[in-house]
Every structure is written in C-alpha cells, then in structure tokens.
Amino acid sequence: MLNGTELKLFADANVLNAMTDKQVKILLAAIEVFAEKGYANASTKEIATKAGVSEGNIFSKFKNKRGLLNAIIEPVINSIFPAVLTEFKTDQLPLQFVTLHAFVDSLVRDRIQFLKDNAAVLKIFVSEVLYNETVRKELLTKFPPLYWHNINKNLNQLKDNHLIVNWENLEILKIIWSVVGGVIIGYLLFNQPLEQREITHIIDALVKSLAR
Amino acid sequence: MLNGTELKLFADANVLNAMTDKQVKILLAAIEVFAEKGYANASTKEIATKAGVSEGNIFSKFKNKRGLLNAIIEPVINSIFPAVLTEFKTDQLPLQFVTLHAFVDSLVRDRIQFLKDNAAVLKIFVSEVLYNETVRKELLTKFPPLYWHNINKNLNQLKDNHLIVNWENLEILKIIWSVVGGVIIGYLLFNQPLEQREITHIIDALVKSLAR
Amino acid sequence: MLNGTELKLFADANVLNAMTDKQVKILLAAIEVFAEKGYANASTKEIATKAGVSEGNIFSKFKNKRGLLNAIIEPVINSIFPAVLTEFKTDQLPLQFVTLHAFVDSLVRDRIQFLKDNAAVLKIFVSEVLYNETVRKELLTKFPPLYWHNINKNLNQLKDNHLIVNWENLEILKIIWSVVGGVIIGYLLFNQPLEQREITHIIDALVKSLAR
Amino acid sequence: MLNGTELKLFADANVLNAMTDKQVKILLAAIEVFAEKGYANASTKEIATKAGVSEGNIFSKFKNKRGLLNAIIEPVINSIFPAVLTEFKTDQLPLQFVTLHAFVDSLVRDRIQFLKDNAAVLKIFVSEVLYNETVRKELLTKFPPLYWHNINKNLNQLKDNHLIVNWENLEILKIIWSVVGGVIIGYLLFNQPLEQREITHIIDALVKSLAR
DNA sequence: GATGAATGAGAGTTCATTCAT
DNA sequence: CATGAATGAACTCTCATTCAT
C-alpha cells in the first residue's frame, strides 16, 4: 500500500530529522502492517521482521506499540488542515479567492492530493479516529482558528458578491467536507481511482451546488 | 450508542426468530461493545458481562467471536442497497422518478435515515470493510443488478428529458455516493447532527450540482 | 469399527438386561466414538447425536462421562480371562489338556476370537489400561485364582510328561501372553488381518517354541 | 517413568542442538506428563510448571501443544526400525547372518533394549498410533525399503540353507514382530521386568518356533 | 422423563513487554 | 546498544454437567 511518498508527511513534520535509520525502517514497516491488518491485529514481531530489526528495538525507539502508532498519527493530525489556508497573518492580507471555483478548488484539490500521497497513513488515522476519543479530541484541539477565520472571511466575501448560496457558513463547509470525506472513503475502501478528470468533476459539481 | 432501533435491521432480516432472549441480549451487547472499542479490542468476556450472560453462551449460538461479528454485519450487507430501487419487476413497471429532485431525494434520504437508525452497526461495518477483503468482496457479490438496472433506466430517462448533466451514469452515481459516504463518516466520526434541514440542504446541493 | 458382535460381550455380562433401549443406543454410540477418537477427545454431544438422544439423557443414564466409560470397560475386565479355564471346580475334574498343542490352542484361539469380536471395546480398554492405574489394579483384583491354579496344574502335568520346556510356569505364560498381546496390537494398530491360517501358524509356532 | 536415557533418542536425532536449556526442560517435562496422563489429559500448564518455565515458552519453540507431541514422536518414528539392518549398501556386502539364532537375536535384542531405554516415549507413541491415522501413515512412509530388502535376503538365505521354516517371509516377520510387540505392551502396561534371562528365553523360543 | 439452553472452570494460545546476555 | 528468549496476563473457545421447562 505504501507508494513511496508516505515519508513526505513525516519529512514535512520534521520528525525524520530526529530519527535514526532504524527508527525510520520501523516506522515504515509499521505503517505498512497497520494499514494492512489494522493496529490491533498487527504484531510487533511482524513489524520488527518487516523492518529487519529485532523486536526489542521497537521498544527502545518508541517506548511501546501505542507510541509507534502515535508517531504515525501525530503528523496527520498536524497536517490534516491545509496549510494553504492557515499560513497567512490574514488581516493584513488581501482575501485570497475571488471566485467560488477558485475557493472550492483550493479546498478540495490539495486535500485529495494529500489523500493520494498518504493513503496508508490516512487509513490508519481514520480507523483510529473511529474508536479513539482521545485522538478525536486532539484533532479538535489542533483545529486552527486561523483556518476557520480565513474560511469565514472568504465565504462572507463570496456571499457579499452573490457568488455563493446564502446558507450558514458551517452548513456550506459541511457539504464540502462531506464530499471530500466521501471521496476519501471511496478511495480507501474500494480503491476507486482518482484521475484528474474525476477530481475536476467533483469540484465542478460542488461549485454548481453552491453557486447562487 | 444504541438508539433502540438497531434491532429493526435484524428483525427485518429474520435473524431474531431463531434466537433465545439471551442470544438477543448478546447481539445487542456485542453491537454496543464493538461500536465502542472496535471488534479487535472487544473481549467476549466484556460482551457476556454486558449481556448478563455466561461467556460460553456466546459460542453456542454464534460459534465464534467472528461469527458474532458476521451476525451483525450480514444484515447490513443485505440492506445497504435500498429496497426502494430493487423491489420492482422493473420491465413491466413505469419508470419511477420523473424529476431529478425526486430521484436524488429517494436515493439519499432513506439511506441517511438508514444511517441514523443503524449508526452503531454501520460503524462496525465500516471498520470491518476497511480491513477485510472478504467482506469487501461479499459486498460486491450482493450488489443487486436490479438496483443498477433501475438506476440506469432512471438516469437515462432523466438525460432524455434534459434534466441531468450528460456525464456517464457511473460518474453521476459516484458523486451521489461520495456525498452520502461523507455524511456517514461525518456522523460516525464526529457525531455531526443530521437535522431534516441539513438533509434537505444536502439533497438540494446535489440536485443543483447534477442539473443540466 | 463396530462389527455387530460387540454387544455379545455385554449380553454375556448380563448388563443389557438392566438397560433401556436408549441406554443401549448410547452405549453403542459411545463405543464407536471412543474407539475412533479416544475417550478424552470424544464429546458427550457427539455421542448423544450419534445415539439419536439428547445430551442430558447420557447423564441421567450413566451419571457422568466416566460412568459411561466404566460401563464399557467393566465387562472387558470380567471377560478377559477365558471362561474355558475358570469354570471348573477343578480339583474334582480330570485335567483337561493332554497335549501341548491342545493346551496352547485353547489358550490362544478363543482369545483371538474374543479380540476379533470386540476390537473396538478392546481398543478403548487398552488405552485406558495404559494410563489408568485404577483400572490396572482392578484387572489384577479380578484375576481369577482358579485360572492360575488350573493353568499351573496343566503346565505341571505337561512337564511331568516331558511335553513342554522346563522353564518356570510364569515364564512360559509370559511367552504365550506376549504373542497374544502382540497379535492384539498388530490388529488394533495396523488392522493386520487374522485369517484362520495365520492363527494356526501362530499356534504352531508357539507349540514348537515351547516343546521339550 | 523417565530413566535418564530418554534424551539419547533426541540427541541422536539432533533436535537438542537448536534448543535452549529451558526448551529441553520442557521436552523432558512433556515426556513425563504425557506418559503419565496421556497427551489429551496433560495440560500445558502442568508441563510448564514441571519444567519450571512459563507456559508461553512452550509455544515459542514448539508452536503448539501438538508440536510438542510431534517433537517427541518424530524421533521415535525415525528410530523404530533398527539401524543395524538399514545401514548397508546391501548388494555389495556379504549376507550378515549365517544362523537363525544370530538373525533373530539381532532383530529382537536391540529393539528390546530400545524399548527399555525409551519406555516413556514409546508409551506416548503407542497411544498416539492407536488413534492417529496420520502418524500411522507416516510410520509406513518411513518404513525403510532397505530394511525390508535386507531382511528378505537374510530370510531367503536361511531358507536356502534349510535353517528356517518354509513360510512366507512376511508371515515369519509377523511372528517375530508380534512377540516383540507383546513384550512392549507387557512392559508398558504392567511394568513386567525384562531381565537378560527372560530376553534370552524369548529369543530361544522364537528360534525354536521358526527352526526347520 | 426428556430436552437442550445455559453455565463456568479450565484449556490452549497470543503477544506486548522486559531484561540478561 | 542490540538481541530474542522468556514472561504471564489476557484472550478465545470447549465441554461435561446442571436444571428450568
């Protein structure tokens, strides 16, 4: 399931710097095994074998099995909200998106790319969120107010310009997130391909559905 | 997480008939525990305790812990495609939906009701599908050709009447299913409420996105 | 493995009289299952099913699983020493065997017939004796002094007449019993056939080996 | 029941090399417990306790309770046919036994010694063969053609020299094996002592019974 | 009596974790 | 540090036995 780009997530999060070669090997092996069998059904022995490392090694590097999972999940939590909308000191900046299409496109396209780049890790993440209240709460903790602020600003401006339906902003976002969520599930569960043409379709559909 | 309507699914599937009171208690307790902790982390002992029953009892009716899971999942697989579109001997009948809105509404609304009625069971089902190739394949096996046939017929007629975009039928369905899938995930992961107003919004948005 | 004559053992032991039809059915089913899988691996459920009887029935008829085994083994213990040598009030009677051949023949032939008639039961008995001190001791308890007395008398007379080797009587008997034991094991383990011709061979060989 | 020489069988089979001290202890404890209670009635917990080892340890080397049994039985299967008759490249060699007595003596004496050296293991083996078709078949698989070839050659030469009865070779062997089998059973079931004097008697008797 | 659902002790087995080497 | 043998708690599952019906 690993496609070679998984590590990017960890590189971006600057977690690789602090890791030895062995730690990285263990991390990658764990991603592979967790994604294939699920966390609970993966044995540290199998991970160690796949990483070409002794079992004890896992525990000196990651404290315990849960620590290994956390090392995988943490970067996801920190990257799940797109940087594109969180990196501005917004008030001083001009609004970013002047058309609905540009807005939706920027919200959807890079998240779908993120999905494709990190499918295995996201699969692990999704099933963890399903059953782990703690992770769920941490996710909300990490929810960036800046993200929310920025989005609201854009949505309000689109509304002012009569470019978008006049629903509540949260309502609008739920629609968008639902579509992205649905695409993720379709991809993870049924390996539904995500060609550029289809992504464009999805974005077009969303734009149409939200246009005034 | 159980909301009292879970049993309907099993009653409809006629699986309750062959069960004693205690076995029904086991089934309900299992749904609750599986949905709370996940299948792999649920112990038969906890299920038995919650059901107020001895542990051995689980195995006399359900054979396995796995058998207990199957007893929960099977009815989902058999009910996941809406009856509304599969119960006609189609060729003799007039087409059902004359407007795009009626079509989308019928596809989406009862599936979302199904979700609300069976959230715990669906959560169990979703995480099972994530990791279980067999279940995934069984799902495809149970895919009712009649469902596909009916949908195509309706879509084609909508196209003939210029009421829907001229994309491939499969493409159109993917959009609809993605939205429904996203709603399911949002509901299961974050307990996002699903008021009638929101459901109406979702349907409206979908109709707009697919209208010619 | 049952060959239809198994019941003779029980009929001879007068245990069938006191049994209901169901008890007999259970007994026969138990013999079959015990002989196939061994006592420890046989489940009362399988026995009940094979007997066409409810499981609880076994326990009202035989107290417990062990009681069922005892009901099978007891008649063997009581029949394992041949009646032919134990039923005489010997002192008043003339000695029975005037030739070595007649003596050996009478000792061996009917025991081998006994084996053939009761193979399943004997198999159960043998593995029980292997591991059960109690049964082993009971066997010695039931050892009929009359049997020993009679044999000694015959052996002594054969010695007086210079018809048999001049070993100790116990030594001679061990040889005979060893051969019979070996035949039993060969039959039980490897289904070695026991035609009349072979039985004759064995007896002839024994006679030759013991002749003066 | 262990007499201290049991390990020789395993040392010869080179199975001890790959074992730690604890695993050897497990093997010995298992032999003891299996021989005392039978495989099915022996619990891994008791074996572990007797070996002074944690229960889990059994499963890391032997995989299964069954694997533990196999580790005990396998060397028996491979040693049950005497090396003395299988180690020659026969065709180039002169025949081995020129008298019937030498032939019988070589067949019987070392097998009885083998029995005395490995009584516990053989007891386990015998009861396994009683109920396990697979082991029975494996035994036949391991039957060394060289053994059979060698024996036939010797028997034929003895016949040519008029030193043995003119029965079929298989028939002759059955007699010998029966006696050995009977001795084994007597020893295992009733702890009948096997002094050299008695072994000599048995061999003498066999020789007499087979002499022309 | 007859039934078989229910029981629960105890079985074999797994596996994260420790720690002597 | 690195190893993997050893641990033992916790797991799933079996089955003789009981007992309400």
Side-chain angles (χ1 to χ4, degrees):
Chain A
M1 190 148 186
L2 294 197
N3 60 16
T5 66
E6 305 279 344
L7 271 180
K8 202 168 150 292
L9 183 66
F10 299 92
D12 290 352
N14 273 332
V15 291
L16 293 182
N17 302 349
M19 283 192 186
T20 64
D21 270 14
K22 278 198 180 176
Q23 266 173 304
V24 174
K25 274 184 197 159
I26 292 170
L27 198 77
L28 285 175
I31 292 172
E32 217 170 323
V33 181
F34 287 165
E36 188 196 330
K37 315 193 155 179
Y39 172 73
N41 286 316
S43 79
T44 50
K45 185 167 198 177
E46 182 178 0
I47 293 169
T49 304
K50 182 157 262 165
V53 150
S54 85
E55 209 178 346
N57 232 314
I58 292 179
F59 295 89
S60 48
K61 307 289 186 203
F62 291 95
K63 187 182 175 197
N64 54 25
K65 191 186 173 190
R66 178 75 218 180
L68 184 49
L69 180 63
N70 287 341
I72 294 171
I73 281 181
E74 208 69 18
V76 182
I77 298 181
N78 291 322
S79 316
I80 206 154
F81 298 105
V84 62
L85 272 172
T86 61
E87 55 201 4
F88 298 80
K89 302 205 178 61
T90 50
D91 287 322
Q92 298 93 329
L93 287 178
L95 286 176
Q96 297 174 258
F97 307 110
V98 289
T99 65
L100 176 59
H101 190 279
F103 175 74
V104 170
D105 192 284
S106 95
L107 273 183
V108 171
R109 195 178 296 272
D110 90 314
R111 287 304 82 185
I112 288 180
Q113 190 59 43
F114 181 72
L115 158 66
K116 291 177 78 171
D117 288 345
N118 303 283
V121 172
L122 276 171
K123 183 173 172 184
I124 296 166
F125 177 74
V126 164
S127 36
E128 198 54 24
V129 175
L130 263 178
Y131 291 111
N132 195 320
E133 183 87 41
T134 313
V135 173
R136 219 143 50 206
K137 282 184 175 150
E138 196 187 349
L139 193 59
L140 297 180
T141 305
K142 295 284 176 66
F143 183 92
L146 202 47
Y147 174 70
W148 181 234
H149 176 260
N150 245 324
I151 287 207
N152 271 304
K153 216 164 167 186
N154 277 284
L155 283 174
N156 291 338
Q157 173 165 344
L158 290 170
K159 280 179 183 171
D160 289 345
N161 296 341
H162 302 283
L163 295 172
I164 197 169
V165 287
N166 203 15
W167 301 341
E168 283 183 26
N169 290 347
L170 190 56
E171 210 79 6
I172 294 173
L173 279 171
K174 272 189 192 168
I175 298 274
I176 300 175
W177 285 339
S178 280
V179 172
V180 175
V183 168
I184 289 174
I185 287 305
Y187 188 67
L188 293 179
L189 291 186
F190 304 108
N191 298 313
Q192 285 185 1
L194 281 176
E195 311 297 336
Q196 285 305 322
R197 200 173 56 87
E198 282 170 302
I199 298 174
T200 302
H201 262 174
I202 289 164
I203 291 170
D204 286 351
L206 260 176
V207 168
K208 269 173 68 184
S209 72
L210 296 174
R212 170 78 61 96
Chain B
M1 190 148 186
L2 293 197
N3 61 16
T5 65
E6 305 278 345
L7 269 180
K8 204 170 149 289
L9 186 66
F10 299 92
D12 290 352
N14 272 333
V15 291
L16 298 182
N17 300 351
M19 287 189 188
T20 65
D21 274 9
K22 297 213 170 184
Q23 284 160 349
V24 175
K25 278 183 192 157
I26 290 171
L27 197 76
L28 286 174
I31 292 173
E32 218 169 321
V33 180
F34 286 164
E36 187 196 330
K37 316 196 153 180
Y39 172 72
N41 283 316
S43 81
T44 49
K45 186 170 202 168
E46 182 178 358
I47 294 169
T49 303
K50 178 157 266 165
V53 149
S54 88
E55 210 177 345
N57 210 336
I58 293 179
F59 298 92
S60 57
K61 176 65 192 180
F62 298 99
K63 189 182 176 198
N64 266 352
K65 188 189 173 188
R66 177 76 220 178
L68 183 50
L69 180 63
N70 287 341
I72 294 171
I73 280 182
E74 206 70 16
V76 181
I77 297 181
N78 291 321
S79 317
I80 208 156
F81 297 105
V84 62
L85 272 172
T86 60
E87 55 202 4
F88 297 81
K89 301 206 180 63
T90 49
D91 287 321
Q92 298 93 325
L93 288 176
L95 288 176
Q96 296 175 257
F97 307 111
V98 290
T99 68
L100 177 58
H101 190 279
F103 176 72
V104 170
D105 193 284
S106 95
L107 272 184
V108 171
R109 193 178 298 274
D110 89 314
R111 287 303 85 186
I112 288 180
Q113 189 58 44
F114 181 71
L115 160 65
K116 291 176 77 172
D117 288 345
N118 302 284
V121 170
L122 275 171
K123 182 174 172 184
I124 296 166
F125 175 73
V126 165
S127 37
E128 196 53 25
V129 175
L130 262 179
Y131 290 109
N132 195 320
E133 182 87 41
T134 312
V135 173
R136 222 142 51 206
K137 280 183 177 152
E138 197 188 348
L139 192 59
L140 297 180
T141 305
K142 293 284 176 66
F143 183 94
L146 201 46
Y147 176 70
W148 182 234
H149 175 260
N150 248 323
I151 287 207
N152 270 303
K153 215 164 167 186
N154 278 285
L155 284 174
N156 292 338
Q157 172 165 345
L158 290 169
K159 280 180 182 171
D160 289 345
N161 296 340
H162 302 282
L163 295 173
I164 198 169
V165 287
N166 205 15
W167 302 342
E168 285 185 23
N169 290 347
L170 191 56
E171 210 79 8
I172 295 172
L173 278 171
K174 270 190 193 169
I175 298 276
I176 300 175
W177 285 339
S178 279
V179 172
V180 174
V183 168
I184 289 173
I185 288 305
Y187 189 68
L188 293 181
L189 289 185
F190 304 107
N191 296 312
Q192 285 185 2
L194 280 177
E195 311 298 335
Q196 285 306 320
R197 202 173 53 87
E198 285 170 299
I199 298 174
T200 303
H201 267 173
I202 289 165
I203 292 171
D204 286 351
L206 262 175
V207 168
K208 272 172 67 185
S209 72
L210 296 175
R212 169 78 62 98
Chain C
M1 189 147 184
L2 294 197
N3 60 17
T5 66
E6 304 279 343
L7 271 179
K8 203 170 149 289
L9 184 66
F10 299 92
D12 290 351
N14 273 332
V15 290
L16 293 183
N17 302 350
M19 284 192 185
T20 64
D21 268 13
K22 278 199 181 177
Q23 266 175 303
V24 174
K25 273 185 198 161
I26 292 171
L27 197 78
L28 285 175
I31 291 173
E32 217 169 324
V33 180
F34 287 165
E36 187 196 330
K37 316 194 154 180
Y39 173 71
N41 286 316
S43 80
T44 50
K45 185 168 197 175
E46 182 177 359
I47 293 169
T49 304
K50 182 156 261 165
V53 150
S54 85
E55 210 178 344
N57 231 316
I58 291 179
F59 295 89
S60 49
K61 307 289 185 203
F62 290 96
K63 187 184 176 195
N64 55 23
K65 192 186 172 189
R66 178 76 217 178
L68 184 49
L69 180 62
N70 287 340
I72 294 172
I73 281 181
E74 206 69 18
V76 181
I77 297 181
N78 291 322
S79 316
I80 206 154
F81 297 105
V84 62
L85 273 172
T86 60
E87 54 202 4
F88 297 82
K89 302 208 180 59
T90 48
D91 286 322
Q92 297 91 330
L93 287 176
L95 288 176
Q96 297 174 260
F97 306 110
V98 290
T99 67
L100 175 59
H101 190 280
F103 175 72
V104 170
D105 193 284
S106 94
L107 272 184
V108 171
R109 195 177 296 274
D110 90 312
R111 287 304 84 187
I112 288 180
Q113 190 59 45
F114 181 70
L115 158 66
K116 292 177 78 171
D117 288 345
N118 302 284
V121 171
L122 276 171
K123 183 173 171 183
I124 296 166
F125 176 74
V126 164
S127 36
E128 198 53 25
V129 175
L130 263 178
Y131 291 110
N132 195 319
E133 183 87 41
T134 312
V135 173
R136 219 143 51 208
K137 280 185 177 151
E138 197 187 348
L139 192 61
L140 297 180
T141 305
K142 294 285 177 65
F143 184 94
L146 200 48
Y147 175 71
W148 183 235
H149 175 262
N150 245 324
I151 287 208
N152 270 303
K153 214 163 168 186
N154 277 284
L155 283 173
N156 290 339
Q157 172 166 346
L158 290 169
K159 280 179 184 173
D160 290 345
N161 295 342
H162 302 281
L163 295 173
I164 198 168
V165 288
N166 204 16
W167 301 340
E168 283 184 25
N169 290 347
L170 190 55
E171 210 79 7
I172 294 173
L173 278 172
K174 271 190 192 169
I175 297 276
I176 299 175
W177 284 340
S178 280
V179 171
V180 174
V183 168
I184 289 174
I185 288 304
Y187 187 67
L188 292 180
L189 291 187
F190 304 107
N191 298 315
Q192 284 185 2
L194 281 177
E195 312 297 336
Q196 286 306 321
R197 199 173 56 88
E198 284 169 302
I199 297 174
T200 303
H201 262 173
I202 289 165
I203 291 171
D204 286 351
L206 259 177
V207 167
K208 268 173 69 183
S209 72
L210 296 175
R212 169 77 62 95
Chain D
M1 190 148 184
L2 293 196
N3 60 19
T5 65
E6 306 278 344
L7 270 180
K8 202 170 150 290
L9 185 65
F10 299 92
D12 290 352
N14 272 334
V15 291
L16 298 182
N17 300 351
M19 285 190 189
T20 65
D21 274 10
K22 297 213 170 184
Q23 284 160 349
V24 174
K25 277 183 196 158
I26 291 170
L27 197 75
L28 286 174
I31 292 172
E32 218 170 323
V33 180
F34 287 166
E36 187 195 330
K37 314 194 153 181
Y39 172 72
N41 283 315
S43 82
T44 50
K45 186 168 201 170
E46 181 178 0
I47 293 169
T49 303
K50 178 158 266 167
V53 149
S54 88
E55 212 177 344
N57 210 335
I58 293 179
F59 298 91
S60 57
K61 175 66 193 178
F62 298 99
K63 191 183 175 201
N64 265 351
K65 187 188 174 190
R66 178 75 218 180
L68 183 50
L69 180 63
N70 287 341
I72 294 171
I73 280 182
E74 206 70 15
V76 181
I77 296 181
N78 291 321
S79 316
I80 208 157
F81 296 105
V84 62
L85 273 172
T86 61
E87 56 201 4
F88 298 82
K89 302 203 180 63
T90 49
D91 287 323
Q92 298 94 326
L93 287 176
L95 288 175
Q96 296 174 257
F97 305 111
V98 290
T99 68
L100 176 58
H101 190 278
F103 176 73
V104 170
D105 192 284
S106 94
L107 273 184
V108 171
R109 194 178 296 274
D110 88 315
R111 286 305 84 186
I112 288 179
Q113 189 59 44
F114 181 71
L115 159 66
K116 290 176 78 172
D117 288 345
N118 304 284
V121 171
L122 275 171
K123 182 173 171 184
I124 296 165
F125 175 73
V126 165
S127 38
E128 197 54 24
V129 175
L130 262 179
Y131 290 108
N132 194 319
E133 181 89 41
T134 312
V135 173
R136 221 143 50 205
K137 280 185 177 151
E138 196 188 349
L139 192 60
L140 297 180
T141 304
K142 294 285 176 64
F143 183 94
L146 201 48
Y147 175 71
W148 181 234
H149 175 260
N150 247 323
I151 286 207
N152 271 302
K153 214 162 165 186
N154 277 284
L155 283 174
N156 291 338
Q157 172 165 344
L158 290 169
K159 281 179 183 173
D160 289 345
N161 295 340
H162 302 283
L163 296 173
I164 197 168
V165 288
N166 205 16
W167 301 342
E168 284 185 26
N169 290 348
L170 190 56
E171 209 79 6
I172 294 172
L173 278 171
K174 270 190 192 168
I175 297 275
I176 299 176
W177 284 339
S178 279
V179 172
V180 174
V183 168
I184 289 174
I185 288 305
Y187 189 68
L188 292 181
L189 289 185
F190 303 107
N191 297 314
Q192 285 184 3
L194 280 176
E195 312 298 337
Q196 285 306 321
R197 201 172 56 86
E198 283 170 300
I199 298 174
T200 302
H201 265 174
I202 290 165
I203 292 171
D204 286 351
L206 262 174
V207 168
K208 272 173 67 186
S209 72
L210 296 174
R212 169 78 62 99

